[in-house]
Amino acid sequence: MFSFARLGLGSFLALAVLTAHTWADDSSTIPLGTDGVNINIVPNQYIIEFEGEPDTDAGEQATQDFFKSLSDGGISYTVYENYTSLFNGVFIGVDDKYFDAVYGITSAASVWATRLSNAGDQPPVPPNLPTSPPLPNLAHEYTGVNRVHNSTQWDGTGIKVGILDSGIDYNHPAFGGCYKTPGCRIQYGGNYVNDTDRADPLDTCNGHGTHVAGVLAGNHKEFRGVAPNATLGIYRIMDCKGVAPTNWVIKAAIQAEKDGMQVVNLSLGTPGGWRGWGESSIVNKLVRRGIYVITAAGNNGMDGLWTVVSPAVATQGIAVGAMELPRYYALHLNVTVAGKTIPIQRTEQQTDIPSLNLRNVRLVRATDADGTDLACTPLTQEIKGALVLAQRGTCDYTTKAINVLNAGGVALAIYNNRTDDMGPISYNQAVTLPSFSLTIADGQALVKLLGESGGSAATATVNHEVYAFDNALAYTPASYSAWGPDPEGAIKPDLLAPGSNVYSTLPLNMGSYGSMSGTSMAAPYVTGLVALLVQSQRATANLTLISNVVHTATPAKNAAGQYFSVAQQGTGLVNAWNALHADLAFTLRRSVPVYYDDRHYTKFPLKLWWENRVNAKVTYHFFSQPALSVSGVGTDSQSATPPRISTTAASVSFKQTSVSALAGNEGFAEVTISSSKFDRRDFMVYSGYIQATPTVGTGGINYTLPYLGSAYATVNLPLLQSNYAGLPCLLRESGGGCLDAKSVHRFTLTGKDFPVVAYRLQAPARQLMIKIAYAATPNSIHASVESYLYGMQSRSMDTNGVPFYTFRWNGRGHYVGKPLDVFDLPKNKYVLRFTFLSVFMNTESQTYFTPTIQLDGP
Ligand SMILES: *[C@@H]1O[C@H](CO)[C@@H](O)[C@H](O)[C@H]1NC(C)=O
Ligand SMILES: *[C@@H]1O[C@H](CO)[C@@H](O)[C@H](O)[C@H]1NC(C)=O
Ligand SMILES: *[C@@H]1O[C@H](CO)[C@@H](O)[C@H](O)[C@H]1NC(C)=O
Ligand SMILES: *[C@@H]1O[C@H](CO)[C@@H](O)[C@H](O)[C@H]1NC(C)=O
Ligand SMILES: *[C@@H]1O[C@H](CO)[C@@H](O)[C@H](O)[C@H]1NC(C)=O
Ligand SMILES: *[C@@H]1O[C@H](CO)[C@@H](O)[C@H](O)[C@H]1NC(C)=O
Ligand SMILES: *[C@@H]1O[C@H](CO)[C@@H](O)[C@H](O)[C@H]1NC(C)=O
Ligand SMILES: *[C@@H]1O[C@H](CO)[C@@H](O)[C@H](O)[C@H]1NC(C)=O
Ligand SMILES: *[C@@H]1O[C@H](CO)[C@@H](O)[C@H](O)[C@H]1NC(C)=O
């Protein structure tokens, strides 16, 4: 029996289990790049969660009902996997065209698309750094970790930490060089990837998992992870290309739970995620079983607001973004002019650079015949034995190298001509000239220096050592670190950890040690800290522990002294010492659920619940600190990426400005946040911190309690971006631009003569509904497009390569409520009506009508 209760969209809660949907049965090429709505979705594969717990009568009944409904509907399917722990469900193959029907089966509590997640971090650059001796982790000095290691015994001993990633090179000395043998630190794990037949999680082709495991728990001479003696479970779910479909993740998560992991770092993500997506749901299931789950916020920060990945949006996990720190290691060269030596960073270099060991060689600037320093023409000066500095551009790297070689140069430094990454230097001919790149700033500084030095010769020394550079971006959120809030308005990321140029372990065959950048490097830092907290047992309950990690961090300010938005940094940089010494645990509770904010966005009350866990009375004072307000919605003259910034802030009023907390007691303070000062049409997300500081001289640490809200009703948020390349519009699959909105457009539905609708979302939409109407009566629904539900869409993201979404209509549809009876619409004139639902409202928020589509098929 089918029940289509949920298709009626009667209640908002029903929509919470919605999933995005793949293309209808024609998945042929789309002219405008990728199908953005369903990017990273595996067609014809779904994970179904049934009502009821596994191994209960209710669960059994729901399972049977589900399969009976499929049979009754004549829907063929294949069961790939039965899930009987963690949740009651199944991984099945079923044709996408039946999605609406499957979705409508009431015994299915959730229907999740199978998504291909990936880590999305920058590959290791340079490919390797010197291995011997391994260097200490510079970040530990800025996060309280050194202080913890130097003066406490907490090191993760006896705590089981699960890592779901690309595996590990367990032969690496930093992990004991063993796998599951007695006394070995890696005691659990397995391979869930289908690309090898090995049962163990050896990582020799990707490196990501080995790198992050080092951040978390490496231990080799001077190099130490945050929890250097934790017991590890390594679950390999990412293949060599770094891809992980949902079904591998679920299998590994189930095993991690069975193995008794206490802390799990889940390594995957699809940008712009919603809580209702599969991976986020799995995180919450693990948390409900008492496991702490730490996730990386994602690396799409360049796309602005609402870019945090699923599963990092999972309410109960800890989502970690990346912060820049004051120092980092990099390969370098030393330039000496007039007795003064300056270390300069090497950015990229040839992957297999011949042993580079130049001592005090001449450094000269290339001179082309036309006076430039591009090295694109035979060089005019004699440069025998010199390291040559040339600018990027005009000709390829190979031409530059040949010109340098021909003039007698022994090495080449190419400086960038703009601020982007140059990428590794590679030659398209067999050229043996050691080469590396410099930033544009360093290149220009060197050019100036060489010019000014007049007669005095400059020399350079280059070898394979690293130098610890100062970071001009210190204490700012990394530009790639994904922005919250989650589409439903919750604070994400929760906090930040070191993520840029993070030095850690690599597989032995990839160089043993190297630097990588990404929020993936930040997440395991916090995972390690959670292991220390679990070991210290200071945290007596889940919420206390999470509170102690999140509320003891330090938020960062810009050069003007304004706090970066909570949507960008959560509570700021993690501090291990503070987290391990927190006496109070705060829980922030809104008195009205977030989704009611659509009615209460002008003002909301917040309760700051505290719990005193020390054997003494402590007194804390509250201060309010506003952060910058940000908008993800552009104006005619301004884009929303990066987000628009405003210093207008919400007003915060305290009912109590201090608390005196007696030993073992708990209580709350009340605060009201009001957004009355904002212009609602600015669509600002405001945020800030309530700081709780101990009475001077009494010891104790400071707490940072974040708040965030929207200064607008989400129903008014303009989802469709209208100032972008004429979108939304109708196109022809065969090519050409937007079709005229006023004309009638004929489509034969043969070859590539199909209608395609393109649109760009500047904010997340809960759902897209596509309806068919006769052109003569556009407001009267005739039928629905067979893929009725396009749920939970992300904002469109340029850095994903999906600046806008497309929908290709195959001329088919079904009557409302009859999803199995799909038919070809007869020759006639139609319009498609696209309705986008806002985050909380079931009302039809925004609508786009296509121009008239005349179906004129064969
Ligand atoms: C799933 O469970 C069903 C019913 O118990 C069984 O018939 C089927 O073989 C199982 N499938 C797999 C892939 O384990
Ligand atoms: C901890 O010890 C390391 C090495 O012994 C030292 O370099 C560092 O300064 C110490 N840091 C702190 C915060 O005590
Ligand atoms: C590391 O952990 C193991 C087992 O969990 C334990 O036997 C060992 O004593 C620990 N080492 C240190 C230095 O604490
Ligand atoms: C492995 O799984 C991926 C993702 O589901 C799939 O694309 C690929 O074809 C599979 N490979 C093999 C060898 O089965
Ligand atoms: C977390 O909460 C769950 C469920 O309440 C509980 O079973 C588990 O023991 C808790 N874990 C910790 C570390 O407190
Ligand atoms: C920089 O060099 C690249 C590569 O040759 C070239 O495509 C680009 O136009 C150059 N940009 C500038 C600003 O010179
Ligand atoms: C460069 O100079 C720094 C000190 O200024 C030194 O520590 C480093 O070893 C030198 N590097 C090379 C390659 O000589
Ligand atoms: C932790 O999880 C993040 C994503 O959630 C991932 O990118 C990172 O690689 C993981 N780290 C470890 C140690 O598994
Ligand atoms: C707490 O914050 C106050 C005010 O910002 C500052 O003066 C004080 O030094 C901080 N205390 C600690 C222990 O960090």
Side-chain angles (χ1 to χ4, degrees):
M1 281 295 287
F2 283 104
S3 156
F4 296 107
R6 270 175 289 148
L7 298 183
L9 303 177
S11 86
F12 146 71
L13 288 173
L15 290 174
V17 293
L18 202 64
T19 181
H21 176 41
T22 59
W23 279 90
D25 49 13
D26 298 282
S27 52
S28 54
T29 51
I30 305 303
L32 295 161
T34 338
D35 157 19
V37 182
N38 300 305
I39 187 165
N40 297 334
I41 288 185
V42 183
N44 309 319
Q45 291 186 3
Y46 293 93
I47 290 140
I48 316 287
E49 179 186 26
F50 303 128
E51 296 288 348
E53 291 297 306
D55 300 323
T56 62
D57 288 349
E60 190 53 38
Q61 189 62 49
T63 310
Q64 285 176 13
D65 287 351
F66 177 79
F67 286 110
K68 181 162 187 305
S69 297
L70 289 186
S71 310
D72 289 352
I75 300 173
S76 57
Y77 61 90
T78 315
V79 176
Y80 299 127
E81 201 98 46
N82 295 311
Y83 300 121
T84 53
S85 79
L86 205 58
F87 68 100
N88 183 29
V90 76
F91 173 42
I92 58 168
V94 57
D95 197 300
D96 284 341
K97 71 183 175 199
Y98 295 126
F99 172 79
D100 294 354
V102 172
Y103 183 80
I105 300 175
T106 42
S107 48
S110 319
V111 180
W112 298 317
T114 305
R115 285 172 198 277
L116 295 173
S117 293
N118 62 64
D121 304 301
Q122 292 173 26
V125 275
N128 58 71
L129 292 176
T131 58
S132 140
L135 303 160
N137 186 335
L138 283 176
H140 292 348
E141 203 57 27
Y142 308 101
T143 53
V145 168
N146 271 352
R147 197 170 164 203
V148 168
H149 286 174
N150 290 3
S151 57
T152 77
Q153 73 273 38
W154 312 129
D155 60 359
T157 294
I159 307 304
K160 295 185 196 171
V161 183
I163 301 178
L164 278 62
D165 209 288
S166 67
I168 196 169
D169 183 354
Y170 50 72
N171 295 314
H172 201 294
F175 307 107
C178 53
Y179 179 69
K180 285 193 183 177
T181 50
C184 190
R185 286 190 46 222
I186 306 173
Q187 277 298 330
Y188 305 90
N191 183 26
Y192 298 86
V193 173
N194 64 356
D195 65 354
T196 67
D197 52 10
R198 59 185 315 142
D200 73 37
L202 187 67
D203 171 24
T204 53
C205 60
N206 183 293
H208 187 265
T210 305
H211 198 269
V212 291
V215 171
L216 201 168
N219 194 355
H220 179 207
K221 298 182 181 165
E222 293 296 298
F223 177 79
R224 306 184 91 205
V226 178
N229 198 36
T231 298
L232 300 175
I234 305 288
Y235 306 87
R236 181 168 180 258
I237 53 160
M238 262 185 231
D239 62 18
C240 290
K241 294 193 208 90
V243 173
T246 315
N247 51 305
W248 299 352
V249 177
I250 292 179
K251 232 177 147 177
I254 287 172
Q255 189 58 42
E257 198 234 337
K258 283 190 180 148
D259 290 344
M261 294 297 124
Q262 292 154 288
V263 189
V264 163
N265 186 81
L266 202 57
S267 56
L268 38 105
T270 314
W274 285 72
R275 292 177 209 168
W277 289 3
E279 286 76 12
S280 292
S281 306
I282 295 301
V283 166
N284 284 336
K285 286 180 199 307
L286 288 170
V287 173
R288 258 178 255 131
R289 281 172 173 68
I291 301 169
Y292 297 107
V293 185
I294 293 85
T295 55
N299 297 330
N300 274 75
M302 302 304 259
D303 291 314
L305 256 58
W306 304 297
T307 52
V308 168
V309 298
S310 167
V313 288
T315 331
Q316 319 210 39
I318 304 180
V320 187
M323 175 91 89
E324 299 282 347
L325 289 189
R327 290 164 80 217
Y328 60 90
Y329 295 123
L331 287 172
H332 70 299
L333 73 158
N334 280 346
V335 173
T336 307
V337 191
K340 201 170 154 229
T341 297
I342 313 154
I344 309 269
Q345 183 183 345
R346 280 144 64 184
T347 46
E348 301 263 9
Q349 60 187 30
Q350 289 161 282
T351 42
D352 186 20
I353 205 163
S355 63
L356 188 52
N357 200 350
L358 307 172
R359 292 207 67 78
N360 300 317
V361 297
R362 236 180 352 133
L363 174 68
V364 297
R365 188 179 172 206
T367 35
D368 291 46
D370 63 0
T372 62
D373 63 352
L374 291 160
C376 289
T377 56
L379 301 186
T380 57
Q381 87 277 49
E382 189 278 315
I383 52 168
K384 264 202 175 53
L387 165 61
V388 178
L389 178 68
Q391 190 184 161
R392 177 188 183 191
T394 306
C395 60
D396 61 16
Y397 298 150
T398 312
T399 308
K400 293 178 198 281
I402 289 170
N403 286 328
V404 167
L405 269 178
N406 287 345
V410 296
L412 170 62
I414 304 176
Y415 68 95
N416 207 343
N417 60 355
R418 50 191 190 204
T419 54
D420 63 352
D421 279 336
M422 275 176 65
I425 295 174
S426 64
Y427 294 131
N428 52 26
Q429 291 174 33
V431 178
T432 36
L433 181 70
S435 309
F436 52 86
S437 59
L438 309 177
T439 64
I440 181 168
D442 283 342
Q444 287 170 346
L446 274 185
V447 164
K448 188 153 175 272
L449 199 68
L450 294 178
E452 283 166 358
S453 64
S456 73
T459 62
T461 294
V462 197
N463 62 19
H464 207 62
E465 282 168 27
V466 299
Y467 182 80
F469 284 89
D470 289 336
N471 186 358
L473 300 171
Y475 297 120
T476 61
S479 56
Y480 53 81
S481 187
W483 287 70
D486 101 323
E488 291 162 76
I491 293 178
K492 292 289 167 185
D494 292 294
L495 79 170
L496 306 183
S500 295
N501 292 293
V502 172
Y503 173 86
S504 182
T505 45
L506 286 176
L508 300 175
N509 67 331
M510 293 174 74
S512 304
Y513 284 90
S515 292
M516 288 179 77
S517 296
T519 56
S520 289
M521 283 66 238
Y525 208 88
V526 172
T527 310
L529 170 58
V530 171
L532 302 185
L533 276 157
V534 173
Q535 183 190 14
S536 80
Q537 291 195 319
R538 275 184 68 90
T540 49
N542 297 342
L543 280 175
T544 327
L545 184 142
I546 294 171
S547 165
N548 290 171
V549 171
V550 173
H551 297 148
T552 59
T554 313
K557 296 176 184 173
N558 66 14
Q562 297 147 331
Y563 283 103
F564 295 104
S565 168
V566 172
Q568 188 180 18
Q569 65 168 342
T571 50
L573 182 61
V574 64
N575 189 303
W577 177 267
N578 288 354
L580 277 155
H581 292 81
D583 295 335
L584 287 181
F586 282 97
T587 317
L588 274 49
R589 292 183 203 153
R590 298 165 88 116
S591 320
V592 270
V594 177
Y595 51 82
Y596 279 139
D597 268 6
D598 245 31
R599 280 166 241 158
H600 298 264
Y601 60 89
T602 50
K603 199 183 241 194
F604 73 86
L606 191 60
K607 277 189 184 168
L608 312 177
W609 280 89
W610 51 264
E611 188 191 322
N612 182 355
R613 294 177 300 102
V614 288
N615 203 11
K617 176 183 157 182
V618 290
T619 300
Y620 273 81
H621 306 270
F622 296 121
F623 300 93
S624 153
Q625 307 267 16
L628 289 169
S629 296
V630 292
S631 176
V633 174
T635 63
D636 280 348
S637 56
Q638 257 182 305
S639 146
T641 47
R644 289 190 296 120
I645 302 285
S646 163
T647 53
T648 303
S651 330
V652 175
S653 64
F654 293 92
K655 199 158 175 189
Q656 301 85 9
T657 55
S658 67
V659 293
S660 280
L662 297 178
N665 269 19
E666 59 171 42
F668 62 84
E670 289 169 284
V671 179
T672 303
I673 318 270
S674 154
S675 69
S676 57
K677 280 183 267 170
F678 287 91
D679 181 339
R680 308 287 172 211
R681 292 160 304 180
D682 259 351
F683 298 104
M684 285 287 164
V685 172
Y686 62 80
S687 61
Y689 303 99
I690 293 159
Q691 295 200 318
T693 64
T695 303
V696 180
T698 59
I701 55 154
N702 288 340
Y703 295 86
T704 303
L705 313 173
Y707 62 84
L708 174 147
S710 57
Y712 54 87
T714 57
V715 70
N716 296 331
L717 193 64
L719 307 177
L720 278 174
Q721 191 167 338
S722 57
N723 60 356
Y724 186 92
L727 303 188
C729 76
L730 179 71
L731 302 127
R732 216 170 266 282
E733 189 183 16
S734 51
C738 288
L739 297 172
D740 175 49
K742 300 251 160 55
S743 316
V744 174
H745 303 281
R746 288 178 47 182
F747 294 89
T748 58
L749 307 186
T750 55
K752 293 215 155 205
D753 197 25
F754 282 84
V756 171
V757 174
Y759 59 95
R760 179 173 163 96
L761 285 180
Q762 62 184 342
R766 183 166 288 274
Q767 191 185 355
L768 161 60
M769 295 182 300
I770 306 170
K771 298 284 166 60
I772 305 161
Y774 289 118
T777 51
N779 287 310
S780 153
I781 295 169
H782 173 59
S784 290
V785 164
E786 57 187 286
S787 42
Y788 181 86
L789 290 165
Y790 282 75
M792 293 183 180
Q793 304 196 4
S794 315
R795 79 172 294 165
S796 307
M797 294 185 216
D798 299 285
T799 56
N800 244 5
V802 191
F804 50 83
Y805 298 153
T806 53
F807 166 80
R808 172 185 180 276
W809 189 35
N810 56 10
R812 310 177 78 189
H814 60 73
Y815 293 121
V816 174
K818 295 198 156 71
L820 281 173
D821 302 330
V822 175
F823 59 93
D824 289 318
L825 279 118
K827 292 181 184 184
N828 210 325
K829 290 178 186 162
Y830 301 97
V831 293
L832 295 180
R833 192 184 72 178
F834 280 58
T835 301
F836 297 86
L837 296 192
S838 73
V839 173
F840 298 120
M841 305 307 276
N842 294 327
T843 51
E844 300 186 347
S845 302
Q846 279 169 56
T847 300
Y848 163 69
F849 285 96
T850 63
T852 301
I853 295 170
Q854 179 171 0
L855 293 188
D856 203 8

